[in-house]
Amino acid sequence: MAANTLPIKADAALDLVSLGALVHRLDTGVVPFRKATKAHIHVSGGEFNTAANLADCFKLNTGVVSAMVDYPVGDLIAERVRAMGVKPFYKQFEHNGVNGPNMATVFSDRGQGVRAPVVFYNRSNEAAAQLKPGDFDWEAVFKGGAKWFHSGGIFAALSETTGELIIEGMKAAKAQGAITSFDLNYRAKLWNIWGGQAKATEVIRRIVEHVDVLVGNEEDLQKGLGIAGPEAENKDLKSEQFFGMIKEVVKMYPNVKIVATTLREAHSTNRHSWSALAWINGKEYIAPSAELDVLDRVGGGDGFATGFFFGLIKGESPETCLRLGWAHGALLTTFPGDTTMSSEAQVRAFAAGGSARIQR
């Protein structure tokens, strides 16, 4: 069945709107954070990355709904949102000059070889965690229409109100005819602050009732939705096992039309086997397997979702949609930072079986 069986609007002011938290990541590269003397600043956000990638690489019109704080860190983040070509819809917060509200900070080092990457957070008094239903004028956000609305499990995990805001946004999006998607992105550290896995499952299940397209790996399905399956750390997970889990998801949620995920095995920090699969309107699709030399793995999953959504929005065949996601996610691991530095031509070339030969 063709991917364009999704009822996507022919015309709309925005191709995609994302709802989520904006953050900045301080990355020390291959130097362990505890020994670092300098860091690079990357602006990110699990939900924002998709909007940024679609705008910058694929030249779509996208927007982000988020919190913004009026202090220099907020100014830095807002500048990068503009540079990526994403239209902002902010609830503004005033910083008190001492303890917030704040734009969240993510700290990381990339690791090297047998040394794994390290990621930790400071989300204390985060402005985005204070967002709640009623904070945004959805009629204004969707003025002129939107083809697609996206959010994710990282934003849902921030507080008791963010999941409710996602549901409000999805209802508003569906009312004006948008496709809705959700990246499960289960993060135990975030959920453990206020309820753990039981609360995560409760909240995420309510959100998925409003979702058309679901993205998530086996751990996301097990811990976010409570779907039974093999051990989440099982390196030998077979595609047929994952498709079995997907069938359980769509049995529980017949509104879900598409489920997709990456398949990644990390042999070392810098060497990964990379593939992807998708269940689209009842049919199963598997991408090729590639051996990746990874520079920075953060954002690869969002890169996959980006290319996959692009194909769906453009009405590409299911095979092409999956390959575009697989190719863009792979390319994103070759860049520093969380967002794309690729072009559509590069993505399509790799998706079609291109190589790393020099382009002259």
Side-chain angles (χ1 to χ4, degrees):
M1 187 176 292
N4 61 15
T5 54
L6 282 175
I8 296 173
K9 289 182 170 185
D11 295 299
L14 292 171
D15 295 297
L16 178 139
V17 174
S18 279
L19 167 65
L22 290 162
V23 307
H24 61 301
R25 177 163 70 100
L26 304 184
D27 182 74
T28 58
V30 298
V31 179
F33 205 96
R34 61 184 289 269
K35 292 291 186 178
T37 57
K38 59 183 179 180
H40 288 96
I41 303 174
H42 303 298
V43 169
S44 179
E47 300 79 19
F48 164 71
N49 293 344
T50 303
N53 295 342
L54 283 169
D56 188 76
C57 177
F58 296 102
K59 310 307 179 188
L60 297 191
N61 296 314
T62 68
V64 63
V65 179
S66 193
M68 181 53 62
V69 182
D70 64 343
Y71 71 141
V73 175
D75 294 341
L76 181 153
I77 292 171
E79 186 279 330
R80 174 47 58 181
V81 172
R82 291 193 299 271
M84 293 299 287
V86 180
K87 182 177 182 179
F89 299 91
Y90 295 141
K91 178 177 180 180
Q92 296 284 343
F93 289 79
E94 182 177 351
H95 196 272
N96 65 14
V98 181
N99 60 359
N102 300 306
M103 304 298 287
T105 307
V106 180
F107 305 91
S108 67
D109 67 65
R110 294 204 300 258
Q112 177 70 21
V114 298
R115 178 165 53 88
V118 173
V119 176
F120 57 102
Y121 311 92
N122 183 355
R123 306 195 84 127
S124 177
N125 197 9
E126 182 180 2
Q130 300 177 33
L131 294 175
K132 61 189 183 303
D135 278 347
F136 296 97
D137 180 351
W138 294 110
E139 287 190 9
V141 172
F142 294 126
K143 184 180 181 180
K147 297 179 182 179
W148 198 288
F149 181 83
H150 178 65
S151 194
I154 294 175
F155 183 58
L158 294 186
S159 72
E160 295 184 19
T161 59
T162 52
E164 301 302 320
L165 179 58
I166 292 171
I167 293 171
E168 181 188 73
M170 286 191 170
K171 288 180 176 178
K174 280 191 166 293
Q176 61 86 50
I179 298 298
T180 55
S181 62
F182 188 76
D183 192 334
L184 290 162
N185 262 337
Y186 181 82
R187 296 290 187 272
K189 288 179 182 178
L190 297 179
W191 286 108
N192 287 344
I193 296 296
W194 66 282
Q197 185 179 336
K199 177 59 69 173
T201 301
E202 174 193 328
V203 172
I204 291 173
R205 282 182 169 179
R206 290 182 54 233
I207 293 170
V208 175
E209 292 175 2
H210 307 279
V211 170
D212 298 309
V213 179
L214 192 64
V215 178
N217 63 27
E218 72 280 1
E219 181 182 19
D220 296 329
L221 295 181
Q222 290 177 54
K223 297 183 177 179
L225 282 177
I227 302 296
E231 292 184 14
E233 301 300 324
N234 181 6
K235 292 183 178 181
D236 297 320
L237 180 72
K238 301 294 191 295
S239 58
E240 57 265 28
Q241 293 176 302
F242 195 86
F243 282 126
M245 296 174 71
I246 289 174
K247 289 173 182 175
E248 292 301 312
V249 172
V250 297
K251 189 184 299 182
M252 291 174 61
Y253 300 98
N255 52 290
V256 174
K257 303 172 184 68
I258 296 174
V259 185
T261 188
T262 59
L263 299 173
R264 183 201 311 243
E265 182 178 352
H267 306 291
S268 73
T269 292
N270 313 101
R271 190 70 174 173
H272 295 183
S273 296
W274 173 265
S275 186
L277 58 79
W279 182 96
I280 301 176
N281 295 316
K283 293 190 177 182
E284 300 172 357
Y285 302 90
I286 303 175
S289 181
E291 298 303 310
L292 304 184
D293 296 305
V294 175
L295 176 68
D296 187 346
R297 67 170 289 163
V298 177
D302 298 329
F304 165 75
T306 299
F308 187 61
F309 293 170
F310 173 72
L312 292 169
I313 290 169
K314 290 297 185 180
E316 301 275 7
S317 71
E319 295 90 346
T320 301
C321 293
L322 183 60
R323 278 181 169 263
L324 288 170
W326 168 79
H328 186 254
L331 286 167
L332 205 141
T333 69
T334 70
F335 308 124
D338 307 55
T339 52
T340 193
M341 295 182 184
S342 190
S343 67
E344 181 180 341
Q346 288 175 321
V347 175
R348 288 192 180 274
F350 188 70
S355 72
R357 287 176 63 87
I358 190 168
Q359 296 178 9
R360 298 184 186 275

